[in-house]
Amino acid sequence: MSDNNIELTSTISEDNKLELALREIEIPQPGENQVVIRVEAAPINPSDLGVMFSAADMTTASQSGSADRPVISADVPAKFMGAVKKRVGKPIPVGNEGAGTVVAAGSSAAAQSLMGKTVAFIGGGSYRKYLCANVQSCLELEPGTTAAEGASSFVNPLTALAMVETMRAEGHKAIVHAAAASNLGQMLNRICLADGIDLVNIVRKPEQEALLRDMGAKYVVNSSSDSFMADLTQALIDTGATIAFDPIGGGRLASDILTCMEAAVSRDMTEYSVYGSDIYKQVYIYGGLDRGPITLNRNFGFAWGVNGFLLFNALGKLGTETYAAMRKRVAAEIKTTFASHYTHDVSLAGALQLDAISAYGKMATGEKFLIKPQS
């Protein structure tokens, strides 16, 4: 085992500054039900950027420090300091998930069984060289699975599966998904194809539409098309989808989806009702690609809801048996259904370069970074 450990942290100071830096920390010792993982791969997900950048204005970012210890600084607008006051002065470790090799294990049988194995894990601070995790936070990867292949075993796969299970639990029969050409969107498409679930994919570029159709997607609509509302309504008529998952958040997309759902479900109504149809329509917001306000144009009746969707809350509602089955499926299908594609590999220091931050900070579909802490 190496004699040093490094982690990437995000700190906001009292003088309205964000600082991203690498710091040396102790190599942890495992407790009874813990393992120490040599982290070999960790993805940069949109949810990680919320911790990393917080409320900072990254257009003001500057780089200092050395080649192997870069430091990124950026201004935090004064109007946002109140919202982040609980983290002021505290170095926050960044990274929600990753994968690597277990190099030390606690005394419990569960911990010992993972010794030397390649595991995926979820928990704070994955952007580091060595991490201590509870065995319950680990997923043993099947033999022949690399850390890079298993690095995204939790956030995207479990979110996609949780969407399907939420659909079932709430009595819907088909799903609408926005920003559908993302890694998560491609996973959801593969799940729905395998499970015989109709999925309406919303994209915004012709090449994204072509990508999904090449993957077998039947219903793909382009939100930048002049015929978007008509196309979406027809797809909803064809599928009967009354639940949607939207990572964009801001703007009027949630409203447009509800409007088209109402048009689809009320087309056969024989009598007018000022309250609209009585079929419930649900949009879940699970991201913030658009940080602006959500605009709802109220022309979709009264049987509707717009709620936040957070993976851990959703898993809590689904129960332990469902969660266990989801984890087992992810491990078995990590190279197929739940495969992730990365366009860039970077070291910990490489993640703190202005050009890299400019690229992964856009959260652009088709551009995903993987951190390799041992590089």
Side-chain angles (χ1 to χ4, degrees):
M1 191 186 300
S2 170
D3 59 357
N4 73 320
N5 194 10
I6 300 166
E7 70 174 358
L8 193 160
T9 60
S10 170
T11 309
I12 294 177
S13 60
E14 291 184 359
D15 59 351
N16 298 30
K17 289 285 186 182
L18 169 78
E19 181 180 277
L20 302 175
L22 303 177
R23 67 171 187 171
E24 295 230 5
I25 57 174
E26 294 288 326
I27 293 178
Q29 296 298 314
E32 179 183 0
N33 292 305
Q34 295 178 320
V35 294
V36 175
I37 302 162
R38 182 177 67 234
V39 183
E40 292 151 10
I44 300 180
N45 295 315
S47 55
D48 298 311
L49 300 184
V51 177
M52 187 183 293
F53 300 153
S54 187
D57 178 0
M58 296 308 292
T59 65
T60 67
S62 61
Q63 184 176 333
S64 59
S66 61
D68 63 340
R69 291 290 189 276
V71 177
I72 299 293
S73 300
D75 296 333
V76 179
K79 63 182 179 180
F80 296 135
M81 287 298 291
V84 299
K85 62 182 179 180
K86 290 186 178 179
R87 59 168 290 181
V88 169
K90 301 175 183 177
I92 307 295
V94 184
N96 282 318
E97 66 178 332
T101 305
V102 174
V103 295
S107 59
S108 72
Q112 285 293 315
S113 72
L114 296 177
M115 186 64 193
K117 303 285 183 63
T118 302
V119 300
F121 62 87
I122 192 165
S126 64
Y127 300 166
R128 68 179 72 187
K129 295 179 74 172
Y130 294 93
L131 176 140
C132 189
N134 190 287
V135 293
Q136 293 181 342
S137 300
C138 297
L139 177 67
E140 181 179 346
L141 299 174
E142 295 194 345
T145 304
T146 66
E149 289 170 332
S152 294
S153 291
F154 282 91
V155 175
N156 282 349
L158 292 181
T159 299
L161 286 171
M163 290 174 178
V164 172
E165 294 300 332
T166 298
M167 176 208 73
R168 289 172 173 148
E170 296 185 1
H172 304 273
K173 67 176 185 177
I175 297 173
V176 179
H177 186 225
S182 65
N183 267 288
L184 190 155
Q186 293 177 41
M187 287 181 193
L188 182 60
N189 182 58
R190 290 191 288 265
I191 293 167
C192 289
L193 287 172
D195 293 6
I197 298 166
D198 281 336
L199 174 67
V200 179
N201 299 275
I202 298 176
V203 298
R204 57 188 176 87
K205 295 179 180 179
E207 57 267 33
Q208 295 169 347
E209 183 175 355
L211 171 71
L212 287 169
R213 291 199 185 279
D214 287 345
M215 294 174 59
K218 184 177 180 181
Y219 303 99
V220 188
V221 294
N222 189 332
S223 62
S224 63
S225 168
D226 290 341
S227 60
F228 169 60
M229 296 294 281
D231 294 342
L232 178 57
T233 300
Q234 186 59 54
L236 295 172
I237 290 171
D238 292 344
T239 62
T242 49
I243 185 171
F245 295 90
D246 172 24
I248 296 169
R252 54 176 289 173
L253 182 59
S255 183
D256 288 346
I257 292 170
L258 289 170
T259 297
C260 292
M261 284 180 175
E262 177 69 5
V265 300
S266 63
R267 72 194 186 284
D268 293 329
M269 288 177 59
T270 56
E271 295 185 13
Y272 169 78
S273 170
V274 68
Y275 303 113
S277 74
D278 59 3
I279 296 177
Y280 188 77
K281 303 160 290 291
Q282 175 69 51
V283 175
Y284 282 112
I285 307 293
Y286 75 95
L289 297 177
D290 182 339
R291 298 289 183 179
I294 299 171
T295 302
L296 296 178
N297 298 313
R298 291 282 305 280
N299 56 353
F300 35 76
F302 281 79
W304 58 273
V306 176
N307 297 81
F309 185 85
L310 186 64
L311 173 59
F312 298 106
N313 291 348
L315 293 176
K317 294 178 182 178
L318 294 173
T320 55
E321 288 187 10
T322 300
Y323 179 46
M326 290 163 64
R327 283 170 54 117
K328 185 176 180 180
R329 182 174 180 180
V330 171
E333 301 176 28
I334 195 62
K335 295 186 181 184
T336 53
T337 307
F338 303 104
S340 289
H341 173 67
Y342 305 98
T343 52
H344 303 276
D345 292 350
V346 292
S347 64
L348 284 167
L352 296 185
Q353 305 294 318
L354 288 178
D355 57 346
I357 289 173
S358 177
Y360 65 70
K362 291 185 299 185
M363 298 184 285
T365 296
E367 191 161 15
K368 192 170 181 66
F369 279 63
L370 184 70
I371 295 178
K372 294 190 170 180
Q374 305 300 324
S375 300

